[in-house]
Amino acid sequence: MHVPPIPHLTAEDPELATLVEAEATRQHDKLRMIASENYVSEAVLEASSTVLTNKYSEGYAGKRYYEGQQLIDPIETLAIERAKSLFGVEHANVQPYSGSPANLAVYLAFLQPGDTVMGMSLPMGGHLTHGWSVSATGKWFNPVRYAVNRESGRIDLDEVRDLARAERPKVIFCGGTAVPRTIDFPGFAEIAREVGAVLVADIAHIAGLIAGGAHPSPVGHADVITTTTHKTLRGPRGAMIMTTAAHASAIDKAVFPGLQGGPHNHTTAAIAVALREASTEEFGRYAHQIVANAAALAAAMTERGFTLISGGTDNHLILADLTGKGIAGKPAAQALDRAGIELNYNTVPYDVRKPFDPSGIRLGTAALTTRGLTEQHMPQVAAWMDEAVTAALKDDEATIDRIAGEVQDLLAGFPMPGYRAA
């Protein structure tokens, strides 16, 4: 059952409660390997569902537009101070509703419509809000995009520098949504300084790894750092923007009143809880285990014939091209889901297939590491993936069903935050 229990929801709206309980069971019974997902602690769940959701708090601590902020102000301040301490930054804004609005605040703070912004191309692993054409950031601004090397699958900073010199962007984004290798923050910073651009590090995927010391930090290199608070950081669905003191005012004004009204106070409280958890030695061990699990899984997948973009991973994320397996990413992802292995189909660099039917899959190890799985389990995970993909080609649903049962049997021995067997 769901933990914390939901008796009042069950009594008031049993139809919805049934769906929530079923989702809790689904999350417990599957290997959740979508790279942007995780399990939050029960403390984070409790903070997210408090009466703080009742309160409007437009403005910032000490400068609100509504009365009754005597307890909200210290909650938000606590989250801010914990973010500053954990990441070693001069300023933090914890109000953005999610990662995309956080990135939009950067545009509002530093650019005018039509100005040039530079980011990684979406098909290469970048994010929609780094200037891709279907996003407002690609429609209202002049986007220039860098790629990865066709052979290595890695960013070539010499090519990035040449592009920046030619286009003179006002803002450069580094980071992305499908980047399996360590981001060279000092290298990007050098390029940004040369062309006079503001460097923005989007660490949404790797924030927890940075907090836990398992990935280099952009602090001291990037002028602005944006991040979601879930994914590897293992907090609620929210976002933060961290900056040097020089950019604090511009960012704060862009978030409020520039883009949004009152913050979601229950989310702010849950962010504060997650930041406290991320400051512990236990979390540091967790972050390093994520990376160790990803490396072990990448090696096991390679042994079973999967083609990995860039040849492997340095973080939590693996991007695989399934062309050599004779199957596209979408049917593979759907078959894997039926087999109890949840991930997403994904474009790979220089993909010849369409985005809604791409060649690849993207997966990560943050959530299964939260459950307690280690390197010793990764060869079995890779074996199941290989079996399921092969079974999908043969319409062998019996094998897929068998794998789902074996996954469920394994996970029964690994507790899930937010769920307890009835």
Side-chain angles (χ1 to χ4, degrees):
M1 66 177 184
H2 190 278
V3 179
I6 52 173
H8 298 94
L9 179 60
T10 300
E12 180 69 25
D13 193 338
E15 182 180 9
L16 182 59
T18 298
L19 292 170
V20 172
E21 292 285 7
E23 173 62 12
T25 300
R26 188 198 67 81
Q27 291 186 18
H28 177 269
D29 290 347
K30 289 196 174 186
L31 274 169
R32 297 180 60 237
M33 298 175 65
I34 291 178
S36 52
E37 293 184 354
N38 210 329
Y39 299 96
V40 301
S41 70
E42 290 172 15
V44 169
L45 281 174
E46 288 180 358
S48 299
S49 61
T50 59
V51 296
L52 296 173
T53 194
N54 297 338
K55 186 60 187 158
Y56 249 108
S57 303
E58 285 190 353
Y60 292 101
K63 298 179 180 179
R64 305 285 188 182
Y65 287 83
Y66 299 165
E67 300 306 316
Q69 311 295 337
Q70 296 91 335
L71 302 173
I72 299 300
D73 281 2
I75 289 171
E76 185 171 318
T77 299
L78 189 61
I80 290 168
E81 293 304 317
R82 287 177 177 176
K84 290 165 61 178
S85 175
L86 179 62
F87 289 97
V89 295
E90 295 175 347
H91 179 74
N93 187 308
V94 298
Q95 292 194 7
Y97 298 147
S98 66
S100 292
N103 284 344
L104 287 175
V106 171
Y107 288 81
L108 186 58
F110 300 110
L111 299 173
Q112 295 294 322
D115 283 347
T116 299
V117 62
M118 182 173 167
M120 178 181 268
S121 169
L122 180 67
M124 300 294 153
H127 192 262
L128 283 167
T129 56
H130 297 178
W132 194 241
S133 55
V134 298
S135 163
T137 62
K139 295 178 182 294
W140 297 343
F141 301 92
N142 176 40
V144 294
R145 302 155 185 143
Y146 56 89
V148 298
N149 181 273
R150 186 180 290 270
E151 285 72 37
S152 70
R154 296 172 183 251
I155 297 169
D156 184 335
L157 282 183
D158 289 334
E159 293 182 2
V160 174
R161 181 178 290 105
D162 290 344
L163 184 62
R165 286 172 174 171
E167 300 292 343
R168 314 300 293 190
K170 290 189 176 181
V171 167
I172 297 176
F173 277 93
C174 61
T177 191
V179 182
R181 293 299 184 175
T182 300
I183 300 169
D184 185 355
F185 296 123
F188 272 100
E190 182 180 326
I191 294 169
R193 284 194 300 270
E194 180 180 340
V195 301
V198 173
L199 179 63
V200 182
D202 185 337
I203 63 168
H205 267 273
I206 55 174
L209 305 183
I210 292 169
H215 188 288
S217 172
V219 177
H221 306 293
D223 303 286
V224 179
I225 302 165
T226 64
T227 184
T228 53
T229 49
H230 43 291
K231 301 186 176 79
T232 55
L233 192 56
R234 210 159 58 176
R237 299 295 298 274
M240 301 188 299
I241 307 175
M242 298 175 282
T243 72
T244 60
H247 296 306
S249 179
I251 285 295
D252 284 353
K253 289 178 181 177
V255 174
F256 176 83
L259 289 175
Q260 61 189 53
H264 297 166
N265 295 317
H266 56 300
T267 301
T268 302
I271 290 172
V273 174
L275 292 171
R276 181 183 181 278
E277 293 173 349
S279 69
T280 63
E281 291 183 4
E282 178 185 359
F283 189 91
R285 291 190 292 271
Y286 163 70
H288 283 86
Q289 188 63 57
I290 291 173
V291 176
N293 283 349
L297 180 57
M301 290 177 66
T302 299
E303 289 179 3
R304 290 190 167 273
F306 287 92
T307 301
L308 306 189
I309 302 303
S310 80
T313 181
D314 297 326
N315 51 39
H316 67 301
L317 186 147
I318 296 169
L319 186 62
D321 184 345
L322 299 184
T323 302
K325 290 286 187 180
I327 190 170
K330 188 172 186 177
Q334 292 171 337
L336 286 161
D337 188 44
R338 296 196 301 276
I341 301 171
E342 180 190 8
L343 44 72
N344 67 278
Y345 58 88
N346 211 92
T347 300
V348 297
Y350 305 101
D351 205 332
V352 297
R353 301 181 66 90
K354 296 179 179 180
F356 283 107
D357 186 24
S359 300
I361 52 173
R362 184 190 70 158
L363 55 147
T365 55
L368 61 79
T369 305
T370 295
R371 292 290 291 271
L373 275 69
T374 63
E375 299 98 318
Q376 67 176 331
H377 302 101
M378 297 306 108
Q380 180 61 74
V381 173
W384 281 329
M385 291 178 63
D386 193 19
E387 279 191 278
V389 167
T390 301
L393 287 168
K394 301 176 180 178
D395 292 325
D396 181 2
E397 288 300 316
T399 294
I400 289 173
D401 290 343
R402 173 183 59 78
I403 296 169
E406 292 174 357
V407 168
Q408 188 173 344
D409 289 344
L410 171 67
L411 292 177
F414 294 92
M416 167 189 146
Y419 177 86
R420 190 171 299 120

